[in-house]
Amino acid sequence: MMRRRDFLGAGGLLLGSALLSACGTAKGAVLRDGRLAMAVVATYGTGTATYADVAAVANAMTNAKDVNIRIVTSDTAIGRMTPLRSGQATFARTGDEYIFAFEAEHEFATREWGPQPTRVVWGPVAPHSLLTTSRTAIVDLADLRGKKIPLITANPSVNGKITSFLAAGGLTREDVELVPISYGEQADALKSGKLDILFQQVYGSSLFELESAATVRWVELDEKDEATIRETSPSVRLGSFTGAPGQKGSGSDIGMIYSVPLISYAESDDDLVYAFARDIVDTYPAYEKATATTPDWGIDEAMTAPVQVPFHPGLIRLLEERDMWPESSQRRQDELLQREEQLARGWQAMADVSDDELAAAWATWKKENLDD
């Protein structure tokens, strides 16, 4: 299996240069004769495992299907969602901002945004956890008290999960020193001592580079922590992972397992989304072993039932063809579409609320009018 840093040194450079010129138009995707010809995908920065996965899949699709894919990157939730909303990208691989945008929470509880019609296009899962170095005395979550913890700029998804970890250790944000920092700067900050821990997908190339310069280890978690963590991060579960930095041989650790999906907007053409999802499935053998988490992109491993955001009709069509869309999935889909309508009506009721009071008024309206 190629490590992510090896892949980024080879195929990743191809995507970073040659494919940047493949799409000279602002249009986010092109369907030609029922085949996906070009697509723009927004995601995390180039040092992350999330980017490496997208690059591996894009490389396989380019080679097997002659699809030109351009990847645009950002360290912030708004930065990944903006190209999608503007039409500069048709797809994005995001953190929980796809949920926050759907619900108009955090940065999206603003007049500029409000509830967004996000849709899941493909739902690979991946492990994430807290990494520290031998310089610190951190072993388990309780040891985070008084330590320097990242406060990721414009990334409520990560910040919320770090808060969940703190809660599982009996701590709050008041018990730690919060360090404002961008997502992609964490590895260097941990190396220099600016941070005592970082939170990332566990196979990021920047983490392997960090491992070559420092002794690293994963903060110990226990599966009994899952109930507390899910109170504030309901989309996650705890599970083991192997082959990450700091692990020797067959050693394993426990981290958060959750979907980091490819998404689009409801208005995206059904045939185009179907073609994109179909190509992801069809080319899976070509990229399955490209990184440590591309095995989780397979149709038998990915999220195939909606949880907090509706699936796009193009994806539903693909799942129906493979007899993977049971009545329970359709019921959940219908519930989420009904919730979307309620959110839209509720947001209209915010028209006369001042900008300063909007986020609080919106949270109150949701609490009083919607099921949790």
Side-chain angles (χ1 to χ4, degrees), residues 220-237:
E220 291 183 5
L221 305 176
D222 192 298
E223 290 186 349
K224 65 179 174 57
D225 297 326
E226 182 170 283
T228 302
I229 288 172
R230 285 175 62 88
E231 288 179 7
T232 50
S233 297
S235 63
V236 311
R237 63 180 176 84

Side-chain angles (χ1 to χ4, degrees), residues 17-18 61 82 97 106 118 178 240 317-318 324 335 353 356:
S17 56
M61 291 172 62
T82 296
E97 58 264 26
H106 302 291
T118 55
L178 295 174
S240 62
R317 174 182 164 191
L318 180 74
M324 298 180 70
E335 290 170 356
V353 177
D356 290 342

Side-chain angles (χ1 to χ4, degrees), residues 251-263:
S252 66
D253 292 276
I254 294 174
M256 285 183 173
I257 312 295
Y258 59 92
S259 180
V260 185
L262 281 157
I263 66 163

Side-chain angles (χ1 to χ4, degrees), residues 53-372:
D53 284 357
V54 174
V57 176
N59 196 49
M61 291 172 62
T62 298
N63 291 334
K65 301 285 187 174
D66 194 26
V67 181
N68 287 324
I69 295 182
R70 178 187 176 192
I71 302 174
V72 295
T73 63
S74 176
D75 267 350
T76 71
I78 293 292
R80 290 183 290 275
M81 288 296 300
T82 296
L84 200 63
R85 189 177 69 160
S86 68
Q88 292 177 321
T90 298
F91 306 103
R93 192 182 187 202
T94 73
D96 283 354
E97 58 264 26
Y98 79 106
I99 302 171
F100 300 149
F102 182 78
E103 294 281 342
E105 294 180 346
H106 302 291
E107 289 103 320
F108 301 97
T110 65
R111 198 71 66 193
E112 181 184 2
W113 285 88
Q116 300 292 302
T118 55
R119 295 292 186 269
V120 174
V121 170
W122 195 247
V125 297
H128 299 69
S129 201
L130 302 175
L131 187 71
T132 189
T133 69
S134 59
R135 173 184 53 79
T136 76
I138 298 171
V139 175
D140 58 26
L141 295 175
D143 295 330
L144 297 178
R145 183 182 298 276
K147 297 300 191 293
K148 291 174 284 190
I149 309 298
L151 179 65
I152 306 300
T153 305
N155 198 322
S157 174
V158 169
N159 292 331
K161 291 179 176 64
I162 292 175
T163 299
S164 298
F165 278 131
L166 292 174
L171 306 172
T172 68
R173 288 189 176 191
E174 284 68 37
D175 297 313
V176 299
E177 180 184 346
L178 295 174
V179 180
I181 195 169
S182 74
Y183 186 86
E185 293 174 334
Q186 291 184 93
D188 286 342
L190 181 58
K191 178 182 176 182
S192 68
K194 183 178 179 180
L195 289 176
D196 291 322
I197 59 111
L198 61 74
F199 175 88
Q200 279 197 20
Q201 191 181 137
V202 303
Y203 303 112
S205 62
S206 62
L207 304 188
F208 284 108
E209 293 168 3
L210 176 63
E211 180 190 32
S212 68
T215 301
V216 298
R217 63 173 178 269
W218 297 97
V219 177
E220 291 183 5
L221 305 176
D222 192 298
E223 290 186 349
K224 65 179 174 57
D225 297 326
E226 182 170 283
T228 302
I229 288 172
R230 285 175 62 88
E231 288 179 7
T232 50
S233 297
S235 63
V236 311
R237 63 180 176 84
L238 296 188
S240 62
F241 60 91
T242 61
Q247 295 178 325
K248 306 299 182 184
S250 59
S252 66
D253 292 276
I254 294 174
M256 285 183 173
I257 312 295
Y258 59 92
S259 180
V260 185
L262 281 157
I263 66 163
S264 192
Y265 268 48
E267 65 190 27
S268 295
D269 181 77
D270 292 0
D271 291 339
L272 188 151
V273 172
Y274 168 79
F276 186 63
R278 180 191 60 199
D279 286 354
I280 291 173
V281 173
D282 288 350
T283 59
Y284 177 68
Y287 66 77
E288 177 184 5
K289 298 181 180 179
T291 76
T293 48
T294 43
D296 296 324
W297 283 64
I299 197 168
D300 293 325
E301 290 79 21
M303 176 178 68
T304 55
V307 180
Q308 292 177 271
V309 170
F311 278 16
H312 195 282
L315 173 57
I316 294 174
R317 174 182 164 191
L318 180 74
L319 295 173
E320 286 177 334
E321 288 180 352
R322 287 158 171 76
D323 295 324
M324 298 180 70
W325 189 250
E327 291 183 4
S328 59
S329 295
Q330 186 60 54
R331 282 196 301 271
R332 183 56 179 162
Q333 178 80 359
D334 293 340
E335 290 170 356
L336 291 169
L337 292 175
Q338 182 180 16
R339 183 178 182 88
E340 183 176 58
E341 293 176 358
Q342 294 172 318
L343 290 167
R345 288 196 297 269
W347 192 255
Q348 290 177 351
M350 299 293 108
D352 295 329
V353 177
S354 70
D355 290 349
D356 290 342
E357 298 175 344
L358 179 59
W362 177 238
T364 299
W365 184 92
K366 291 178 68 176
K367 183 177 181 179
E368 293 177 349
N369 293 277
L370 297 177
D371 293 332
D372 195 4

